[in-house]
Amino acid sequence: MSFSTASSKTYPAKQHLVRTAKNLGVSSGVIFVRGGDIIVHPDSDTEYEFHQDSSFYYLSGVVEPGYAAAYDIASDTAILFVNHVSADEAVWIGVPASLDEQRAAYGFDQAHFTKDVASVIKALGASQVFMLPHHQAPELESFAVDREKLIEAVHEARVFKDDYEIEIMRRANQISGSAHETLMREARLGMNEAELRGRFVGLVLAQGCSYEAYGSIVARGRNAAILHYTKNNMPLDSAENMVLVDAGGSLRCYASDITRTWPLGASFSAECRAIYAVVLDMQKTVIAACGPNKQWMDMHLLANRVAAKGLLELGILRGSLEDIVEKHVVGYFMPHGIGHLIGIDTHDVGGYPRGVERVNAPGLRYLRANREMLPRMAFTVEPGLYFVDAILADAKADPTIAEHIDFDVVAKYRSVGGVRIEDNIVITETGNDNLTTCVKEIADIEAIRAKATQD
């Protein structure tokens, strides 16, 4: 099942406000949120690159600094507050659209200048103002302000994606997936990780993304054993190595998060191919299993079981499959979770509903979500296997774990570094919709790399 498109529609700010108000469970009151402001480097006039507050963007659709928004629950009125731009400021940043033009563009019922926040809120006559705990509004100090309830309400609203959001995320995946395939075609020995990262960023920006959704990871060889490797400055100097590229563009503030791992030579080495095949089996098995009313934790455990079987066949693990699963031995090779919610933020909000605690076990303690999957939730599915010296040393020091690992065989695979494969999916009524179309089958990757190394 695919969701219907929402091409060219106005950002659904009011629908998001209504959805959030419903989660609050009240019939009156005012939601008030404030966007971010420009921040200047200390002792400098150079500005930090501006990224809008994620929840403010969700409730307004505004990417520019200096705005605020309100929603009067009782009267169903959405109000945009616009920063006034003086003639002097307009010289530097341009003349903004009128209040009414901005009201219409963002889909609000009213628009006022930010200097009028207090008087407009007062005129609504609401007894309660709901704000996010990190938002400041000194002009509302005289009102009864609740800073606790709104954050859970907006986070839970953000978990469920509407058609507009899904379409944008699908396009972000198309752009980013195309950029990944371009890197596969263009990478050559003698290049540097930094060149691939720069090429990726240039490609996604050229196709409409505003920025990277997160710090890109371009890790060749052993660097791939560092989960959040961002130095991206080492030479691509061996055809026996693979390169792990974890990178995604942000389109209209919605993230894509894609990882592909591929050989620098024309084909995978025997060791790289073996580990890659296990990870691909993990990912395909989990994606096939993802659907409504299933538990995300169970998807992680399923990936662990598939990994355990594969590593047993390679001789890396030994002993009983059930003992290996029960002792979380795979957690020493996949120390992260199977994936996370994704949306405006790459690691999006809502992964742990109120009352749900983390499980303190290898691999599970870093699981970024633990909840039931429901239609319109968006997740990444990103299994990986890594040969991390520090973690394997811990395993070797624990006799109950070490008995299940053949460290002589592990040494044979150490040069692989790590493999991760990551797609973005949306849960549907009957299963899931995979937004990521970038190639990942061994034969397809090797066909691209074989041609690349001949050119």
Side-chain angles (χ1 to χ4, degrees), residues 399-421:
T400 65
I401 301 299
E403 66 176 328
H404 295 293
I405 302 175
D406 189 325
F407 290 94
D408 290 334
V409 179
V410 167
K412 174 185 173 185
Y413 288 93
R414 181 180 179 276
S415 63
V416 170
V419 172
R420 183 164 62 254
I421 308 171

Side-chain angles (χ1 to χ4, degrees), residues 424-439:
N424 305 168
I425 67 169
V426 177
I427 305 302
T428 68
E429 296 287 348
T430 57
N432 67 80
D433 181 4
N434 192 338
L435 307 182
T436 309
T437 58
C438 179
V439 299

Side-chain angles (χ1 to χ4, degrees), residues 6-24:
S7 179
S8 302
K9 284 187 178 180
T10 300
Y11 182 84
K14 186 167 182 179
Q15 293 94 307
H16 292 177
L17 287 161
V18 170
R19 188 182 306 165
T20 301
K22 183 178 180 181
N23 289 343
L24 279 172

Side-chain angles (χ1 to χ4, degrees), residues 180-199:
H180 274 274
E181 291 185 8
T182 296
L183 296 194
M184 292 181 197
R185 290 193 298 270
E186 294 184 354
R188 301 291 188 274
L189 290 176
M191 294 175 70
N192 190 285
E193 293 169 343
E195 292 179 70
L196 297 188
R197 188 251 173 163
R199 181 68 169 130

Side-chain angles (χ1 to χ4, degrees), residues 43-200:
D43 197 27
S44 166
D45 66 353
T46 303
E47 300 168 352
Y48 285 99
E49 183 178 15
F50 179 76
H51 287 189
Q52 185 59 275
D53 178 282
S54 296
S55 287
F56 178 75
Y57 179 78
Y58 176 76
L59 296 173
S60 69
V62 177
V63 297
E64 295 86 0
Y67 284 68
Y71 177 67
D72 182 46
I73 297 170
S75 65
D76 185 32
T77 303
I79 305 167
L80 181 68
F81 292 100
V82 177
N83 195 31
H84 179 263
V85 176
S86 69
D88 284 346
E89 290 175 302
V91 171
W92 300 97
I93 64 175
V95 177
S98 69
L99 280 178
D100 195 58
E101 287 171 334
Q102 294 193 58
R103 178 202 61 75
Y106 291 115
F108 281 75
D109 300 309
Q110 299 178 19
H112 304 271
F113 288 117
T114 51
K115 66 181 179 62
D116 299 320
V117 163
S119 61
V120 172
I121 299 299
K122 183 177 181 180
L124 294 173
S127 59
Q128 186 87 64
V129 177
F130 298 96
M131 291 182 59
L132 295 172
H134 61 283
H135 285 181
Q136 302 301 314
E139 64 269 54
L140 299 181
E141 287 180 355
S142 63
F143 293 82
V145 176
D146 183 312
R147 291 181 175 275
E148 296 181 359
K149 295 178 182 177
L150 182 58
I151 190 165
E152 185 175 348
V154 70
H155 282 185
E156 193 64 13
R158 285 173 57 184
V159 167
F160 297 93
K161 307 301 187 288
D162 54 39
D163 286 354
Y164 178 97
E165 294 172 290
I166 293 168
E167 182 194 4
I168 297 302
M169 293 175 68
R170 190 187 309 280
R171 179 58 184 149
N173 267 265
Q174 292 169 346
I175 291 170
S176 299
S178 174
H180 274 274
E181 291 185 8
T182 296
L183 296 194
M184 292 181 197
R185 290 193 298 270
E186 294 184 354
R188 301 291 188 274
L189 290 176
M191 294 175 70
N192 190 285
E193 293 169 343
E195 292 179 70
L196 297 188
R197 188 251 173 163
R199 181 68 169 130
F200 182 90

